[in-house]
Amino acid sequence: MRVVIAEDNALLREGLVLLLGSAGHEVVGVAETGPEVLPALLEHRPDVAVVDVRMPPDFRDEGLRAALEARRTLPGLPVLVLSQYVEESYAAELIGGGASGVGYLLKDRIGRVDAFLDALERVASGGTALDPEVVTELLARRRDDPVGTLTPRELEVLTLMAEGRDNATIAARMVVTERAVSKHIGNVFAKLDLPRSDSGHRRVLAVLTYLNRRR
């Protein structure tokens, strides 16, 4: 894959370059400040971008803003956003721009190399990768929504779905059959009154649409 990295921390940036190179990917461009992000993405048009939320000069949301603008200019550009903390507004804005090919991970997840590379590849292929802690935060802050009607098992399925997991992976994580997972998923859709679609990412898109609802 061709990757653009937007990260101001030199140590982390170079570590990502080495990590991705050793995994067989090509880093075609890097950005060290917010204003450099959009030009780099438009110039290289990568298969996926890895973007820090907060970058110089102001360390607010420069990286995220540039990524969102790039996705408007290049519809469907896969973006994996990195953040030091769970910041609900940033996650919601990224998801709200279109759930296909997006990811939001906490930076400490990079240390889990296999999980990070798996998330990157899922995003690049048009899937979704939400950090488990981000999903937990989003769900916890919406207890007054219909999610409160879900059973613990259904809530667990919903969380894994939002992370972008398929039925087989969910079944293995929960130590149940895929048939049981399918039943739980059906119950989740029914209780949350989520629309059905023929999209290849029907379940993830629906779950993210729900998670992005304003209070």
Side-chain angles (χ1 to χ4, degrees), residues 131-171:
D131 193 288
E133 290 187 36
V134 174
V135 175
T136 299
E137 287 282 344
L138 291 172
L139 290 173
R141 297 174 189 181
R142 288 165 169 77
R143 292 302 183 186
D144 56 338
D145 279 336
V147 69
T149 67
L150 301 180
T151 67
R153 296 296 260 179
E154 290 164 355
L155 183 59
E156 184 177 0
V157 168
L158 175 60
T159 301
L160 292 170
M161 285 169 60
E163 290 175 29
R165 307 301 177 181
D166 59 23
N167 282 19
T169 301
I170 294 174

Side-chain angles (χ1 to χ4, degrees), residues 77-109:
L77 173 68
V79 175
L80 177 59
V81 168
L82 303 179
S83 181
Q84 192 70 42
Y85 310 102
V86 178
E87 299 175 276
E88 181 184 2
S89 61
Y90 293 149
E93 186 158 7
L94 180 69
I95 293 165
S100 177
V102 296
Y104 187 107
L105 295 183
L106 297 182
K107 285 189 175 181
D108 63 5
R109 199 69 57 184

